[in-house]
């Protein structure tokens, strides 16, 4: 499962540094599609410090850098749970209500891998700008990448169902502040489904609130900043 779980970094090309970090998972290996949390890559809360709903928090030189656990062992990947930065990606789908209505109902977006770095990058992702990029344009190109795809469950989660959250814990809120490093070692947390509910958007949330989910599955689980966007899987290893 861990090979299908990726590090999602908001990389600022101006400073050649990753400024926000979350997790994600490969949902379509043939097209290089990844699902992650929107709030890692855009402001969906209505925070006045950055433009609401604008991709990459409004950073003009920003890209999404993707870290994967490689199948092959190298000097950059020291074990089978440590990711290396290998790809750049772009946002291809998000909740359309963010732009049309100024509100977000779903904290999820889809990324598409666009290029591969000529050489893997470790550490905090510094140096991504120095790497030539190889364009990935079709299914034949992605077939050679041998991405690991996670299966999405076709049944609803049940109350008290045992689950695991997979991702890259950053020990905080996903912000990379001065002096902090990026954790590239995957981990997981066990939990269970404790509640499922639907919300009437107009009545359930304050009018001033910009994030108003219509449906939620609540999991009792000790997750930490950085896990955002990582998959919640059932006992069969399927994403719920």
């Amino acid at each position: 499962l861990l090979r299908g779980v990726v590090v999602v970094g908001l990389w600022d090309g101006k400073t050649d540094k990753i400024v926000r970090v979350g997790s994600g998972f490969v949902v379509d290996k043939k097209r290089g599609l990844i699902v992650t949390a929107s709030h890692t890559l855009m402001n969906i809360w209505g925070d006045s410090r950055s433009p609401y709903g604008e991709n990459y928090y409004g950073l003009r030189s920003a890209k999404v850098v993707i870290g994967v656990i490689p199948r092959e062992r190298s000097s950059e990947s020291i074990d089978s749970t440590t990711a290396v930065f290998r790809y750049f990606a772009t946002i291809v789908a998000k909740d359309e209500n963010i732009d049309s209505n100024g509100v977000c109902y779903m904290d999820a977006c889809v990324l598409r891998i666009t290029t591969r770095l000529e050489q893997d990058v470790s550490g905090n992702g510094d140096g991504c700008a120095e790497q030539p990029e190889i364009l990935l344009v079709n299914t034949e190109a992605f077939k050679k990448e041998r991405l690991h795809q996670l299966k999405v469950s076709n049944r609803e989660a049940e109350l008290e169902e045992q689950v695991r959250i997979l991702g890259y814990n950053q020990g905080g809120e996903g912000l990379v502040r001065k002096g902090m490093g990026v954790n590239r070692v995957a981990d997981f947390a066990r939990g269970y489904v404790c509640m499922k509910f639907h919300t009437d958007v107009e009545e359930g949330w304050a009018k001033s609130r910009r994030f108003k989910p219509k449906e939620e599955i609540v999991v009792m689980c000790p997750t930490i900043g950085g896990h955002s966007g990582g998959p919640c899987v059932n006992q069969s290893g399927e994403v719920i």
Side-chain angles (χ1 to χ4, degrees):
L1 289 178
L2 290 181
R3 293 197 188 281
V5 183
V6 302
V7 183
V8 176
L10 178 57
W11 179 79
D12 185 357
K14 192 174 181 180
T15 60
D16 190 21
K17 292 187 181 298
I18 293 173
V19 294
R20 297 186 70 92
V21 190
S23 304
F25 63 96
V26 178
V27 71
D28 187 333
K29 64 181 181 181
K30 293 181 180 179
R31 294 188 291 165
L33 298 182
I34 292 167
V35 173
T36 188
S38 291
H39 73 258
T40 298
L41 302 174
M42 66 191 76
N43 170 19
I44 65 170
W45 314 118
D47 189 332
S48 61
R49 288 175 294 181
S50 60
Y52 177 76
E54 193 169 327
N55 291 354
Y56 319 124
Y57 281 86
L59 296 173
R60 300 306 174 196
S61 303
K63 291 184 179 181
V64 182
V65 64
I66 301 296
V68 297
I69 297 174
R71 293 176 181 271
E72 67 284 356
R73 195 67 60 83
S74 70
S75 59
E76 305 297 338
S77 176
I78 56 176
D79 55 44
S80 60
T81 62
T82 301
V84 293
F85 294 111
R86 179 170 288 183
Y87 304 105
F88 279 127
T90 187
I91 299 171
V92 293
K94 64 181 181 181
D95 186 345
E96 59 185 17
N97 291 285
I98 294 175
D99 294 328
S100 61
N101 299 322
V103 66
C104 179
Y105 298 133
M106 181 172 58
D107 183 11
C109 64
V110 180
L111 312 175
R112 179 171 56 83
I113 293 173
T114 54
T115 58
R116 173 174 175 152
L117 303 178
E118 189 173 83
Q119 293 184 2
D120 293 337
V121 174
S122 58
N124 294 324
D126 301 352
C128 287
E130 301 168 6
Q131 293 295 326
E133 297 176 48
I134 303 166
L135 210 56
L136 300 174
V137 295
N138 52 39
T139 54
E140 199 58 40
F142 281 110
K143 186 176 181 180
K144 294 177 182 178
E145 295 304 308
R146 300 173 65 204
L147 297 170
H148 184 81
Q149 175 181 319
L150 298 191
K151 183 179 179 181
V152 178
S153 179
N154 57 11
R155 67 173 182 81
E156 287 193 15
E158 299 178 2
L159 288 177
E160 298 186 0
E161 182 173 358
Q162 300 295 308
V163 296
R164 287 169 290 167
I165 303 287
L166 309 174
Y168 295 84
N169 158 28
Q170 301 301 324
E173 54 188 28
L175 291 171
V176 182
R177 295 190 174 89
K178 189 174 181 179
M180 289 176 59
V182 176
N183 172 43
R184 296 180 290 111
V185 180
D187 60 22
F188 73 93
R190 296 183 186 275
Y192 63 91
V193 177
C194 65
M195 187 186 303
K196 299 190 300 179
F197 64 90
H198 298 261
T199 303
D200 184 301
V201 173
E202 298 307 318
E203 310 233 348
W205 304 111
K207 288 185 178 181
S208 60
R209 179 167 168 154
R210 306 292 292 271
F211 177 52
K212 303 179 180 182
K214 294 182 178 181
E215 181 178 358
E216 290 191 80
I217 300 173
V218 181
V219 173
M220 188 67 71
C221 190
T223 58
I224 304 176
H227 282 153
S228 293
C232 177
V233 301
N234 59 24
Q235 293 293 81
S236 301
E238 299 173 339
V239 182
I240 62 171

